[in-house]
Amino acid sequence: QVQLVESGGGLAQAGGSLRLSCAASGRIITYTMGWFRQPPGKEREFVSTINWGGHSTWYSDSVKGRFTIARDNAKNTVYLQMNGLKPEDTGVYYCAASRLFRISPRPDDYNNWGQGTQVTVSS
C-alpha cells in the first residue's frame, strides 16, 4: 500500500488559483488516483479521477472546465490544478488511490487516503 501526502492548500480569493499535489510513498503506476473534498458540514464528495496512464479522466460537474487533474508516475505524484475558484470550493481536499483498473467517482472504490489539505476560498 502507498501512503499519500497532500500539499498546496491554503487561502485563495474567488477567481484565483491553487495547485494541489499528492506525493506517494511508493509507485503509483498501478493505481487509479482520485481527488475528493469535504465541504464544511457536508459529506465527502468526488472531485476528479485519473487512470494509471493519465489518458482517462473524470470530473464532477461542479469543477468541470475549471479543475485539471494530472499525474507524473515517474515522480509518484498527482496534481489538481484549480482555476476560477469559488467560495463553494472550500473544504478539505483528499487524495486517494484505487487498485481498480478503471476510473471511479465512488469513495468506496479507493483503498488509500491522504490526511487532506485545507482549501479556503474567500468571496
Side-chain angles (χ1 to χ4, degrees):
Q1 290 190 349
V2 294
Q3 294 184 336
L4 306 173
V5 179
E6 303 95 336
S7 62
L11 177 65
Q13 292 188 333
S17 299
L18 286 173
R19 188 194 195 204
L20 305 183
S21 298
C22 171
S25 61
R27 298 184 67 191
I28 62 168
I29 193 169
T30 57
Y31 290 87
T32 289
M33 302 298 295
W35 285 98
F36 294 79
R37 67 186 180 189
Q38 187 163 16
K42 297 184 178 180
E43 294 185 353
R44 192 171 300 188
E45 62 185 31
F46 167 72
V47 175
S48 183
T49 180
I50 187 168
N51 78 328
W52 68 274
H55 40 268
S56 182
T57 59
W58 189 349
Y59 297 92
S60 68
D61 288 343
S62 61
V63 307
K64 195 177 300 181
R66 300 187 297 122
F67 291 9
T68 303
I69 191 171
R71 65 191 294 162
D72 186 336
N73 289 333
K75 295 182 178 179
N76 296 314
T77 302
V78 181
Y79 305 97
L80 186 68
Q81 178 67 44
M82 306 187 295
N83 298 329
L85 285 164
K86 304 176 180 180
E88 51 264 44
D89 293 321
T90 294
V92 179
Y93 282 68
Y94 297 91
C95 176
S98 170
R99 279 292 194 182
L100 292 180
F101 209 63
R102 57 175 171 79
I103 54 176
S104 170
R106 299 178 63 245
D108 288 347
D109 287 337
Y110 292 79
N111 315 98
N112 302 81
W113 293 81
Q115 294 298 310
T117 184
Q118 177 70 44
V119 171
T120 303
V121 183
S122 63
S123 57

